[in-house]
Amino acid sequence: MRIDKYLWCVRYYKTRNMVTEACKKNHITVNGQVAKPSKEVFPTDRITFRKDQITQIITVLDIPESRVGAKLVDIYRKNETSPEAYAHLELLKLSKEHYRKSGTGRPTKKDRRDIDEYGNDIIDEDEVE
């Protein structure tokens, strides 16, 4: 099976076109070699790709006939991505929520008070130590 079709079938990408674009940008490797969208994938192949700021590593266990349901994905692949990578993604999400969105204008009076209070909390913790 082609790499673009495989990654689409096991639900890592929403469309095959997205996989094709990732291949063209050299984001996908099979057994350490950069893969074109037409690269054939076989069981025991190791696929590495970068998606959502995480380097995903999967091993092909079997080839599906067509796109499979989310509950059946584990039959066809083994996820070898480290748990630290997922923890890092959670930290990135939390840090993005902390910052104000651009284009929201000046901070309101309440925003300013919250910012000042946050700064005072940090200073208070330093004095305790």
Side-chain angles (χ1 to χ4, degrees), residues 17-44:
N17 189 36
M18 292 172 78
V19 184
T20 303
E21 291 298 318
C23 286
K24 288 180 181 176
K25 294 177 183 175
N26 297 335
H27 291 192
I28 300 174
T29 60
V30 177
N31 297 328
Q33 296 180 341
V34 175
K36 292 183 178 179
S38 60
K39 170 83 172 148
E40 290 291 320
V41 177
F42 302 100
T44 70

Side-chain angles (χ1 to χ4, degrees), residues 61-77:
L61 297 178
D62 198 9
I63 305 295
E65 292 293 318
S66 62
R67 190 166 168 100
V68 296
K71 293 181 180 178
L72 303 176
V73 168
D74 290 333
I75 297 170
Y76 299 103
R77 59 100 173 134

Side-chain angles (χ1 to χ4, degrees), residues 11-14 18 22 27 49-56 81 84-93 96:
R11 298 183 166 270
Y12 276 102
Y13 288 90
K14 199 169 188 177
M18 292 172 78
H27 291 192
F49 59 98
R50 186 150 174 86
K51 185 169 185 261
D52 297 333
Q53 298 183 346
I54 294 180
T55 301
Q56 302 269 352
T81 307
E84 292 86 23
Y86 292 113
H88 180 69
L89 180 65
E90 290 299 319
L91 285 174
L92 283 175
K93 286 181 181 178
K96 286 181 182 178

Side-chain angles (χ1 to χ4, degrees), residues 87-124:
H88 180 69
L89 180 65
E90 290 299 319
L91 285 174
L92 283 175
K93 286 181 181 178
L94 290 173
S95 67
K96 286 181 182 178
E97 290 175 3
H98 173 69
Y99 296 105
R100 291 175 45 89
K101 294 182 180 174
S102 62
T104 56
R106 280 178 66 170
T108 63
K109 200 171 199 177
K110 182 182 183 313
D111 290 338
R112 194 191 74 236
R113 286 180 182 147
D114 290 341
I115 292 168
D116 290 342
E117 183 179 320
Y118 179 74
N120 291 338
D121 290 345
I122 292 173
I123 293 169
D124 292 341

